[in-house]
Amino acid sequence: MKKISVRTSDGQEFELEENLAMESATIKTSLDAFSRDDIILLPNVNSWEMVKIIEFFTKVQELETKFGVKFMEKKEGRFLEAFQAEFDKDLSDDNLYCLLWTVDYLGIEVLLENLCHLMAERTKNKTVESCRNLFGVQHDYTPEEEAEIREDYSWAFEGPEIEE
Amino acid sequence: MGCCGDEENDDDILNPLSPTSSTTTQTRDDSSSSSSDGHTSISPMNSHFSALACRDTLRLIFEKLPIPDLARSSCVCRAWNSVASDQEIVANAFKSPWKLKDVVGKPASGSFWRDNSLGKFAISHRIARGDSVASLAVKYSVQVMDIKRLNNMMSEHGIYSRERLLIPISDPEMLVGATCYVEVDPCAKREVAVLYLEDGPDQKSMSSCSLSQKSADSSGLNSELGKKRVLESLRRSMQVDDATALYYLSIADGDPRAALSQFSQDLRWETHSAFA
């Protein structure tokens, strides 16, 4: 199996098996445009993110062997549980967030779907302020707009389950 | 707190992305370790992705949120609001706990979507000879009182003055794969998501041809009776007369959702030109 070399933003190089590298739409486009012997530069990807992505691929292969299903081709529920158990505990909110956007940039659909699921889990039952902190979002409502929209959705703020 | 990568956008694209703390903007040479513990992580504040512009990814996340969380997301900022209030996402959040196939119709107010408890749904039962509230209660495994309450009936004798009764749903399994129509029921005096049972108990008013056509199309829209029902429900949702509803349905090629969206577009146009 041919190996594809990639170099991340901080100069580290990684080798990926070709079929796995092709899971990334971005890498695939580069490969189609250039020779496979060239190193692909990924200036938007950090090395720790690359490590995580490789970890993901390794995990998928393990699970595929274990369950006998091609996970890359379908979005299996069992995979989701196993994935969440493995990945969720390691990633801080910030890291999850950054990994999410990197995977989005790389265009790895299956991983993106799973990360979004993790992110959604972390967003549940959070207050508006902690969501803003979590995503680093700028608060761009005027006070009037904010009051109006809070009024519209006042029912969503009732209930004891909201955690800080 | 600034937006992601706002001021630092230009610089970051030129320089390699390195983890920094949120208080400094200098890159560190030893930052290329592949560990991902907290203090060497990249803060979203320093990320040079224009994250908020990525509506598609936000959509992927919001698709998985339940209704109250979607509502809270709308309050976070404008960009989030536009994605979280997207009709498709809201409708999906409404449908997903019950595994509904589709909800057709536009409710008069957005607050319809806030509550997707079982009480929001009802079966439409066309009154036939010999029906009584008690017999319907037995047939659908519900309480007489619940039927009466749902239809605002003072006495059980009023049943024959009505075309149909709404029946509360006892078994959520009925909703799986079903299509519901948002209607303002004149008797219940509120908006309800109505389920028309093509198969099952309500067979007396059906012709045999519409039953056999059901196999291809789960909502029976191919049959004449099905079409009539869609028209009726559309008429109720839009609160217009028959002819108008028929017009919109025909220009939308029989697709009730397209008809409704065309109708609301026209309404908006009318409102705007009134001010022009």
Side-chain angles (χ1 to χ4, degrees):
Chain A
M1 180 73 62
K2 183 127 170 76
K3 296 261 186 189
I4 307 286
S5 299
V6 300
R7 187 184 296 153
T8 55
S9 59
D10 41 2
Q12 271 203 318
E13 285 184 19
F14 296 88
E15 271 196 348
L16 299 171
E17 286 181 12
E18 187 175 344
N19 63 334
L20 294 181
M22 298 292 253
E23 288 290 334
S24 156
T26 314
I27 294 182
K28 185 168 186 294
T29 317
S30 305
L31 284 177
D32 289 343
F34 304 107
S35 143
R36 265 135 222 256
D37 295 324
D38 289 343
I39 297 182
I40 298 182
L41 298 177
L42 299 173
N44 287 354
V45 181
N46 206 283
S47 54
W48 72 261
E49 290 165 346
M50 201 67 224
V51 168
K52 271 291 184 209
I53 294 171
I54 293 178
E55 204 182 298
F56 167 78
F57 284 135
T58 320
K59 199 81 218 162
V60 164
Q61 285 179 320
E62 271 175 40
L63 289 173
E64 281 184 353
T65 323
K66 186 173 166 193
F67 289 116
V69 179
K70 290 275 171 216
F71 284 112
M72 288 304 217
E73 283 146 39
K74 339 182 193 182
K75 293 162 192 178
E76 279 273 338
R78 283 172 300 182
F79 177 59
L80 202 58
E81 284 163 31
F83 175 86
Q84 281 182 304
E86 286 289 325
F87 270 59
D88 200 22
K89 57 182 185 325
D90 286 341
L91 288 173
S92 71
D93 288 345
D94 278 357
N95 286 353
L96 174 59
Y97 180 81
C98 295
L99 188 58
L100 189 76
W101 298 119
T102 301
V103 169
D104 183 52
Y105 162 74
L106 285 175
I108 307 175
E109 213 183 283
V110 174
L111 182 52
L112 184 64
E113 175 87 21
N114 287 311
L115 286 176
C116 284
H117 200 96
L118 274 185
M119 197 51 136
E121 289 296 316
R122 294 197 190 185
T123 317
K124 283 183 189 170
N125 288 335
K126 285 243 161 48
T127 62
V128 174
E129 287 73 22
S130 44
C131 273
R132 286 189 190 129
N133 284 331
L134 180 65
F135 284 81
V137 161
Q138 187 182 34
H139 176 189
D140 61 355
Y141 280 130
T142 65
E144 296 81 22
E145 283 174 343
E146 170 120 28
E148 196 186 319
I149 205 158
R150 289 245 181 186
E151 181 68 35
D152 279 345
Y153 291 114
S154 58
W155 51 270
F157 295 94
E158 300 153 19
E161 75 269 11
I162 300 182
E163 46 185 73
E164 282 301 316
Chain B
M1 186 201 310
C3 184
C4 301
D6 230 356
E7 297 89 307
E8 288 142 22
N9 230 345
D10 293 333
D11 288 339
D12 277 349
I13 283 174
L14 294 175
N15 295 333
L17 186 66
S18 301
T20 68
S21 70
S22 54
T23 54
T24 74
T25 56
Q26 289 299 98
T27 61
R28 289 181 294 181
D29 287 344
D30 59 344
S31 59
S32 58
S33 77
S34 54
S35 69
S36 56
D37 48 304
H39 47 268
T40 59
S41 75
I42 304 170
S43 162
M45 263 65 92
N46 292 339
S47 164
H48 68 298
F49 303 132
S50 183
L52 291 181
C54 206
R55 294 172 61 94
D56 290 336
T57 312
L58 275 180
R59 280 183 74 98
L60 275 181
I61 298 177
F62 289 165
E63 269 170 11
K64 299 166 173 55
L65 290 178
I67 291 185
D69 289 295
L70 262 187
R72 282 195 281 273
S73 302
S74 290
C75 300
V76 168
C77 72
R78 288 190 187 137
W80 277 39
N81 186 20
S82 70
V83 182
S85 324
D86 177 73
Q87 185 53 34
E88 207 182 311
I89 293 193
V90 170
N92 281 336
F94 185 86
K95 292 184 305 200
S96 68
W98 307 112
K99 301 192 180 62
L100 280 169
K101 179 164 174 260
D102 205 1
V103 176
V104 175
K106 194 164 162 50
S109 86
S111 63
F112 175 84
W113 301 108
R114 73 184 233 195
D115 170 28
N116 64 344
S117 57
L118 202 50
K120 203 52 168 246
F121 300 90
I123 302 169
S124 173
H125 174 93
R126 199 160 280 276
I127 309 281
R129 206 161 176 72
D131 278 342
S132 69
V133 181
S135 73
L136 292 178
V138 168
K139 190 184 225 165
Y140 290 103
S141 311
V142 293
Q143 302 282 340
V144 164
M145 200 162 55
D146 293 334
I147 298 183
K148 281 164 73 175
R149 200 183 304 136
L150 184 54
N151 294 279
N152 269 326
M153 289 171 84
M154 296 316 269
S155 90
E156 299 176 26
H157 301 299
I159 188 174
Y160 291 109
S161 62
R162 301 178 184 214
E163 267 181 27
R164 67 124 185 234
L165 276 189
L166 289 178
I167 314 285
I169 296 192
S170 54
D171 179 15
E173 285 293 309
M174 282 190 199
L175 293 174
V176 175
T179 301
C180 286
Y181 298 87
V182 179
E183 296 179 15
V184 179
D185 185 80
C187 303
K189 293 186 175 48
R190 62 182 174 94
E191 279 177 324
V192 181
V194 181
L195 182 65
Y196 287 95
L197 295 177
E198 304 286 358
D199 292 326
D202 186 28
Q203 284 189 27
K204 287 186 211 159
S205 45
M206 301 274 301
S207 62
S208 54
C209 73
S210 53
L211 268 178
S212 58
Q213 275 177 337
K214 170 155 187 344
S215 53
D217 183 302
S218 64
S219 55
L221 284 176
N222 290 334
S223 67
E224 277 309 310
L225 198 60
K227 277 191 192 138
K228 191 160 174 280
R229 287 199 174 142
V230 170
L231 187 63
E232 260 181 51
S233 134
L234 200 61
R235 186 178 52 81
R236 284 199 194 104
S237 301
M238 300 202 288
Q239 293 175 24
V240 297
D241 56 288
D242 262 336
T244 313
L246 189 59
Y247 164 72
Y248 278 102
L249 197 59
S250 61
I251 61 173
D253 272 337
D255 176 5
R257 247 191 309 191
L260 269 171
S261 108
Q262 184 61 44
F263 177 65
S264 40
Q265 269 183 43
D266 288 349
L267 268 186
R268 270 199 295 266
W269 183 87
E270 274 175 43
T271 329
H272 282 139
S273 15
F275 287 118

PDB file of all heavy atoms in Angstrom, chain A residues 4-30:
ATOM      1  N   ILE A   4       1.375   8.056   1.718  1.00  0.00           N
ATOM      2  CA  ILE A   4       1.378   9.473   1.339  1.00  0.00           C
ATOM      3  C   ILE A   4       1.984  10.263   2.492  1.00  0.00           C
ATOM      4  O   ILE A   4       1.625  10.044   3.646  1.00  0.00           O
ATOM      5  CB  ILE A   4      -0.057   9.975   1.110  1.00  0.00           C
ATOM      6  CG1 ILE A   4      -0.785   9.083   0.121  1.00  0.00           C
ATOM      7  CG2 ILE A   4      -0.077  11.416   0.699  1.00  0.00           C
ATOM      8  CD1 ILE A   4      -0.359   9.268  -1.275  1.00  0.00           C
ATOM      9  N   SER A   5       2.901  11.171   2.159  1.00  0.00           N
ATOM     10  CA  SER A   5       3.493  11.997   3.222  1.00  0.00           C
ATOM     11  C   SER A   5       2.796  13.335   3.298  1.00  0.00           C
ATOM     12  O   SER A   5       2.511  13.961   2.280  1.00  0.00           O
ATOM     13  CB  SER A   5       4.974  12.251   2.918  1.00  0.00           C
ATOM     14  OG  SER A   5       5.642  11.034   2.875  1.00  0.00           O
ATOM     15  N   VAL A   6       2.557  13.730   4.529  1.00  0.00           N
ATOM     16  CA  VAL A   6       1.994  15.071   4.731  1.00  0.00           C
ATOM     17  C   VAL A   6       2.850  15.811   5.739  1.00  0.00           C
ATOM     18  O   VAL A   6       3.472  15.203   6.600  1.00  0.00           O
ATOM     19  CB  VAL A   6       0.529  15.031   5.231  1.00  0.00           C
ATOM     20  CG1 VAL A   6      -0.355  14.338   4.246  1.00  0.00           C
ATOM     21  CG2 VAL A   6       0.449  14.382   6.584  1.00  0.00           C
ATOM     22  N   ARG A   7       2.863  17.105   5.588  1.00  0.00           N
ATOM     23  CA  ARG A   7       3.605  17.912   6.552  1.00  0.00           C
ATOM     24  C   ARG A   7       2.649  18.913   7.183  1.00  0.00           C
ATOM     25  O   ARG A   7       1.946  19.647   6.469  1.00  0.00           O
ATOM     26  CB  ARG A   7       4.755  18.652   5.889  1.00  0.00           C
ATOM     27  CG  ARG A   7       5.670  19.372   6.898  1.00  0.00           C
ATOM     28  CD  ARG A   7       6.743  20.180   6.222  1.00  0.00           C
ATOM     29  NE  ARG A   7       7.662  19.339   5.470  1.00  0.00           N
ATOM     30  CZ  ARG A   7       8.349  19.764   4.405  1.00  0.00           C
ATOM     31  NH1 ARG A   7       8.209  20.987   3.967  1.00  0.00           N
ATOM     32  NH2 ARG A   7       9.163  18.950   3.762  1.00  0.00           N
ATOM     33  N   THR A   8       2.630  18.934   8.506  1.00  0.00           N
ATOM     34  CA  THR A   8       1.705  19.834   9.171  1.00  0.00           C
ATOM     35  C   THR A   8       2.315  21.224   9.352  1.00  0.00           C
ATOM     36  O   THR A   8       3.467  21.456   9.004  1.00  0.00           O
ATOM     37  CB  THR A   8       1.296  19.280  10.544  1.00  0.00           C
ATOM     38  OG1 THR A   8       2.487  19.041  11.298  1.00  0.00           O
ATOM     39  CG2 THR A   8       0.533  17.988  10.383  1.00  0.00           C
ATOM     40  N   SER A   9       1.549  22.115   9.921  1.00  0.00           N
ATOM     41  CA  SER A   9       1.943  23.514   9.998  1.00  0.00           C
ATOM     42  C   SER A   9       3.239  23.717  10.768  1.00  0.00           C
ATOM     43  O   SER A   9       3.993  24.648  10.501  1.00  0.00           O
ATOM     44  CB  SER A   9       0.839  24.333  10.654  1.00  0.00           C
ATOM     45  OG  SER A   9       0.609  23.817  11.948  1.00  0.00           O
ATOM     46  N   ASP A  10       3.506  22.848  11.741  1.00  0.00           N
ATOM     47  CA  ASP A  10       4.712  23.040  12.541  1.00  0.00           C
ATOM     48  C   ASP A  10       5.879  22.208  12.039  1.00  0.00           C
ATOM     49  O   ASP A  10       6.846  21.973  12.755  1.00  0.00           O
ATOM     50  CB  ASP A  10       4.424  22.734  14.020  1.00  0.00           C
ATOM     51  CG  ASP A  10       3.534  21.511  14.158  1.00  0.00           C
ATOM     52  OD1 ASP A  10       3.184  20.907  13.130  1.00  0.00           O
ATOM     53  OD2 ASP A  10       3.183  21.182  15.294  1.00  0.00           O
ATOM     54  N   GLY A  11       5.788  21.743  10.831  1.00  0.00           N
ATOM     55  CA  GLY A  11       6.941  21.110  10.203  1.00  0.00           C
ATOM     56  C   GLY A  11       7.056  19.616  10.415  1.00  0.00           C
ATOM     57  O   GLY A  11       7.959  18.972   9.879  1.00  0.00           O
ATOM     58  N   GLN A  12       6.139  19.029  11.172  1.00  0.00           N
ATOM     59  CA  GLN A  12       6.242  17.582  11.383  1.00  0.00           C
ATOM     60  C   GLN A  12       5.662  16.833  10.205  1.00  0.00           C
ATOM     61  O   GLN A  12       4.665  17.250   9.614  1.00  0.00           O
ATOM     62  CB  GLN A  12       5.479  17.190  12.651  1.00  0.00           C
ATOM     63  CG  GLN A  12       6.342  17.266  13.875  1.00  0.00           C
ATOM     64  CD  GLN A  12       5.795  16.389  14.981  1.00  0.00           C
ATOM     65  OE1 GLN A  12       4.593  16.356  15.200  1.00  0.00           O
ATOM     66  NE2 GLN A  12       6.651  15.669  15.665  1.00  0.00           N
ATOM     67  N   GLU A  13       6.297  15.702   9.904  1.00  0.00           N
ATOM     68  CA  GLU A  13       5.810  14.916   8.775  1.00  0.00           C
ATOM     69  C   GLU A  13       5.162  13.629   9.256  1.00  0.00           C
ATOM     70  O   GLU A  13       5.609  13.012  10.217  1.00  0.00           O
ATOM     71  CB  GLU A  13       6.961  14.579   7.834  1.00  0.00           C
ATOM     72  CG  GLU A  13       7.358  15.788   7.014  1.00  0.00           C
ATOM     73  CD  GLU A  13       8.441  15.469   6.005  1.00  0.00           C
ATOM     74  OE1 GLU A  13       8.629  14.281   5.677  1.00  0.00           O
ATOM     75  OE2 GLU A  13       9.098  16.428   5.570  1.00  0.00           O
ATOM     76  N   PHE A  14       4.095  13.262   8.563  1.00  0.00           N
ATOM     77  CA  PHE A  14       3.392  12.030   8.894  1.00  0.00           C
ATOM     78  C   PHE A  14       3.203  11.222   7.625  1.00  0.00           C
ATOM     79  O   PHE A  14       3.090  11.772   6.542  1.00  0.00           O
ATOM     80  CB  PHE A  14       2.006  12.344   9.493  1.00  0.00           C
ATOM     81  CG  PHE A  14       2.059  13.065  10.798  1.00  0.00           C
ATOM     82  CD1 PHE A  14       2.107  14.446  10.830  1.00  0.00           C
ATOM     83  CD2 PHE A  14       2.051  12.361  11.993  1.00  0.00           C
ATOM     84  CE1 PHE A  14       2.149  15.120  12.033  1.00  0.00           C
ATOM     85  CE2 PHE A  14       2.080  13.028  13.206  1.00  0.00           C
ATOM     86  CZ  PHE A  14       2.138  14.411  13.228  1.00  0.00           C
ATOM     87  N   GLU A  15       3.121   9.912   7.836  1.00  0.00           N
ATOM     88  CA  GLU A  15       2.842   9.065   6.687  1.00  0.00           C
ATOM     89  C   GLU A  15       1.484   8.426   6.842  1.00  0.00           C
ATOM     90  O   GLU A  15       1.166   7.847   7.877  1.00  0.00           O
ATOM     91  CB  GLU A  15       3.900   7.959   6.592  1.00  0.00           C
ATOM     92  CG  GLU A  15       5.090   8.388   5.767  1.00  0.00           C
ATOM     93  CD  GLU A  15       5.944   7.203   5.349  1.00  0.00           C
ATOM     94  OE1 GLU A  15       5.733   6.098   5.877  1.00  0.00           O
ATOM     95  OE2 GLU A  15       6.807   7.403   4.499  1.00  0.00           O
ATOM     96  N   LEU A  16       0.709   8.508   5.781  1.00  0.00           N
ATOM     97  CA  LEU A  16      -0.617   7.880   5.817  1.00  0.00           C
ATOM     98  C   LEU A  16      -0.706   6.866   4.705  1.00  0.00           C
ATOM     99  O   LEU A  16      -0.144   7.066   3.633  1.00  0.00           O
ATOM    100  CB  LEU A  16      -1.710   8.929   5.570  1.00  0.00           C
ATOM    101  CG  LEU A  16      -1.839  10.071   6.545  1.00  0.00           C
ATOM    102  CD1 LEU A  16      -2.818  11.105   6.002  1.00  0.00           C
ATOM    103  CD2 LEU A  16      -2.371   9.546   7.873  1.00  0.00           C
ATOM    104  N   GLU A  17      -1.450   5.802   4.962  1.00  0.00           N
ATOM    105  CA  GLU A  17      -1.714   4.875   3.877  1.00  0.00           C
ATOM    106  C   GLU A  17      -2.606   5.568   2.865  1.00  0.00           C
ATOM    107  O   GLU A  17      -3.454   6.369   3.234  1.00  0.00           O
ATOM    108  CB  GLU A  17      -2.421   3.631   4.421  1.00  0.00           C
ATOM    109  CG  GLU A  17      -1.471   2.759   5.178  1.00  0.00           C
ATOM    110  CD  GLU A  17      -2.164   1.506   5.690  1.00  0.00           C
ATOM    111  OE1 GLU A  17      -3.304   1.238   5.247  1.00  0.00           O
ATOM    112  OE2 GLU A  17      -1.574   0.817   6.521  1.00  0.00           O
ATOM    113  N   GLU A  18      -2.408   5.185   1.617  1.00  0.00           N
ATOM    114  CA  GLU A  18      -3.085   5.948   0.568  1.00  0.00           C
ATOM    115  C   GLU A  18      -4.604   5.939   0.692  1.00  0.00           C
ATOM    116  O   GLU A  18      -5.257   6.967   0.566  1.00  0.00           O
ATOM    117  CB  GLU A  18      -2.688   5.402  -0.800  1.00  0.00           C
ATOM    118  CG  GLU A  18      -3.237   6.270  -1.928  1.00  0.00           C
ATOM    119  CD  GLU A  18      -2.760   5.813  -3.283  1.00  0.00           C
ATOM    120  OE1 GLU A  18      -1.781   5.039  -3.335  1.00  0.00           O
ATOM    121  OE2 GLU A  18      -3.361   6.230  -4.268  1.00  0.00           O
ATOM    122  N   ASN A  19      -5.176   4.752   0.983  1.00  0.00           N
ATOM    123  CA  ASN A  19      -6.650   4.709   1.019  1.00  0.00           C
ATOM    124  C   ASN A  19      -7.205   5.545   2.158  1.00  0.00           C
ATOM    125  O   ASN A  19      -8.296   6.083   2.079  1.00  0.00           O
ATOM    126  CB  ASN A  19      -7.168   3.271   1.077  1.00  0.00           C
ATOM    127  CG  ASN A  19      -6.735   2.564   2.342  1.00  0.00           C
ATOM    128  OD1 ASN A  19      -5.710   2.904   2.935  1.00  0.00           O
ATOM    129  ND2 ASN A  19      -7.500   1.584   2.777  1.00  0.00           N
ATOM    130  N   LEU A  20      -6.430   5.652   3.238  1.00  0.00           N
ATOM    131  CA  LEU A  20      -6.900   6.482   4.343  1.00  0.00           C
ATOM    132  C   LEU A  20      -6.740   7.962   4.013  1.00  0.00           C
ATOM    133  O   LEU A  20      -7.590   8.778   4.343  1.00  0.00           O
ATOM    134  CB  LEU A  20      -6.127   6.144   5.626  1.00  0.00           C
ATOM    135  CG  LEU A  20      -6.386   4.742   6.164  1.00  0.00           C
ATOM    136  CD1 LEU A  20      -5.589   4.517   7.440  1.00  0.00           C
ATOM    137  CD2 LEU A  20      -7.865   4.535   6.445  1.00  0.00           C
ATOM    138  N   ALA A  21      -5.615   8.267   3.366  1.00  0.00           N
ATOM    139  CA  ALA A  21      -5.399   9.668   2.998  1.00  0.00           C
ATOM    140  C   ALA A  21      -6.494  10.162   2.057  1.00  0.00           C
ATOM    141  O   ALA A  21      -6.921  11.309   2.124  1.00  0.00           O
ATOM    142  CB  ALA A  21      -4.033   9.839   2.343  1.00  0.00           C
ATOM    143  N   MET A  22      -6.968   9.244   1.223  1.00  0.00           N
ATOM    144  CA  MET A  22      -8.010   9.637   0.269  1.00  0.00           C
ATOM    145  C   MET A  22      -9.355   9.912   0.934  1.00  0.00           C
ATOM    146  O   MET A  22     -10.258  10.437   0.304  1.00  0.00           O
ATOM    147  CB  MET A  22      -8.205   8.530  -0.784  1.00  0.00           C
ATOM    148  CG  MET A  22      -6.979   8.280  -1.611  1.00  0.00           C
ATOM    149  SD  MET A  22      -6.620   9.694  -2.675  1.00  0.00           S
ATOM    150  CE  MET A  22      -7.107   9.019  -4.240  1.00  0.00           C
ATOM    151  N   GLU A  23      -9.495   9.538   2.197  1.00  0.00           N
ATOM    152  CA  GLU A  23     -10.737   9.851   2.910  1.00  0.00           C
ATOM    153  C   GLU A  23     -10.891  11.350   3.077  1.00  0.00           C
ATOM    154  O   GLU A  23     -11.984  11.854   3.264  1.00  0.00           O
ATOM    155  CB  GLU A  23     -10.739   9.195   4.300  1.00  0.00           C
ATOM    156  CG  GLU A  23     -10.923   7.701   4.282  1.00  0.00           C
ATOM    157  CD  GLU A  23     -12.319   7.301   3.869  1.00  0.00           C
ATOM    158  OE1 GLU A  23     -13.251   8.093   4.073  1.00  0.00           O
ATOM    159  OE2 GLU A  23     -12.470   6.192   3.334  1.00  0.00           O
ATOM    160  N   SER A  24      -9.730  12.039   3.046  1.00  0.00           N
ATOM    161  CA  SER A  24      -9.796  13.486   3.173  1.00  0.00           C
ATOM    162  C   SER A  24      -9.992  14.080   1.792  1.00  0.00           C
ATOM    163  O   SER A  24      -9.149  13.925   0.906  1.00  0.00           O
ATOM    164  CB  SER A  24      -8.507  14.011   3.802  1.00  0.00           C
ATOM    165  OG  SER A  24      -8.313  15.362   3.446  1.00  0.00           O
ATOM    166  N   ALA A  25     -11.090  14.785   1.618  1.00  0.00           N
ATOM    167  CA  ALA A  25     -11.375  15.348   0.297  1.00  0.00           C
ATOM    168  C   ALA A  25     -10.298  16.338  -0.125  1.00  0.00           C
ATOM    169  O   ALA A  25      -9.935  16.431  -1.296  1.00  0.00           O
ATOM    170  CB  ALA A  25     -12.743  16.026   0.308  1.00  0.00           C
ATOM    171  N   THR A  26      -9.781  17.065   0.847  1.00  0.00           N
ATOM    172  CA  THR A  26      -8.757  18.061   0.546  1.00  0.00           C
ATOM    173  C   THR A  26      -7.469  17.404   0.066  1.00  0.00           C
ATOM    174  O   THR A  26      -6.875  17.822  -0.921  1.00  0.00           O
ATOM    175  CB  THR A  26      -8.457  18.902   1.804  1.00  0.00           C
ATOM    176  OG1 THR A  26      -9.687  19.277   2.394  1.00  0.00           O
ATOM    177  CG2 THR A  26      -7.636  20.102   1.478  1.00  0.00           C
ATOM    178  N   ILE A  27      -7.064  16.355   0.778  1.00  0.00           N
ATOM    179  CA  ILE A  27      -5.829  15.652   0.374  1.00  0.00           C
ATOM    180  C   ILE A  27      -6.038  15.005  -0.978  1.00  0.00           C
ATOM    181  O   ILE A  27      -5.156  15.026  -1.844  1.00  0.00           O
ATOM    182  CB  ILE A  27      -5.417  14.606   1.430  1.00  0.00           C
ATOM    183  CG1 ILE A  27      -5.029  15.301   2.729  1.00  0.00           C
ATOM    184  CG2 ILE A  27      -4.265  13.757   0.929  1.00  0.00           C
ATOM    185  CD1 ILE A  27      -4.554  14.370   3.816  1.00  0.00           C
ATOM    186  N   LYS A  28      -7.208  14.456  -1.172  1.00  0.00           N
ATOM    187  CA  LYS A  28      -7.496  13.781  -2.446  1.00  0.00           C
ATOM    188  C   LYS A  28      -7.358  14.749  -3.603  1.00  0.00           C
ATOM    189  O   LYS A  28      -6.794  14.412  -4.646  1.00  0.00           O
ATOM    190  CB  LYS A  28      -8.912  13.207  -2.399  1.00  0.00           C
ATOM    191  CG  LYS A  28      -9.296  12.391  -3.587  1.00  0.00           C
ATOM    192  CD  LYS A  28     -10.599  11.622  -3.307  1.00  0.00           C
ATOM    193  CE  LYS A  28     -10.921  10.678  -4.433  1.00  0.00           C
ATOM    194  NZ  LYS A  28     -11.243  11.362  -5.686  1.00  0.00           N
ATOM    195  N   THR A  29      -7.879  15.949  -3.405  1.00  0.00           N
ATOM    196  CA  THR A  29      -7.779  16.966  -4.465  1.00  0.00           C
ATOM    197  C   THR A  29      -6.323  17.276  -4.765  1.00  0.00           C
ATOM    198  O   THR A  29      -5.922  17.376  -5.922  1.00  0.00           O
ATOM    199  CB  THR A  29      -8.482  18.262  -4.029  1.00  0.00           C
ATOM    200  OG1 THR A  29      -9.700  17.927  -3.413  1.00  0.00           O
ATOM    201  CG2 THR A  29      -8.719  19.157  -5.214  1.00  0.00           C
ATOM    202  N   SER A  30      -5.527  17.416  -3.695  1.00  0.00           N
ATOM    203  CA  SER A  30      -4.103  17.696  -3.906  1.00  0.00           C
ATOM    204  C   SER A  30      -3.425  16.556  -4.636  1.00  0.00           C
ATOM    205  O   SER A  30      -2.624  16.763  -5.536  1.00  0.00           O
ATOM    206  CB  SER A  30      -3.385  17.888  -2.567  1.00  0.00           C
ATOM    207  OG  SER A  30      -4.012  18.880  -1.823  1.00  0.00           O
TER     208      SER A  30
END
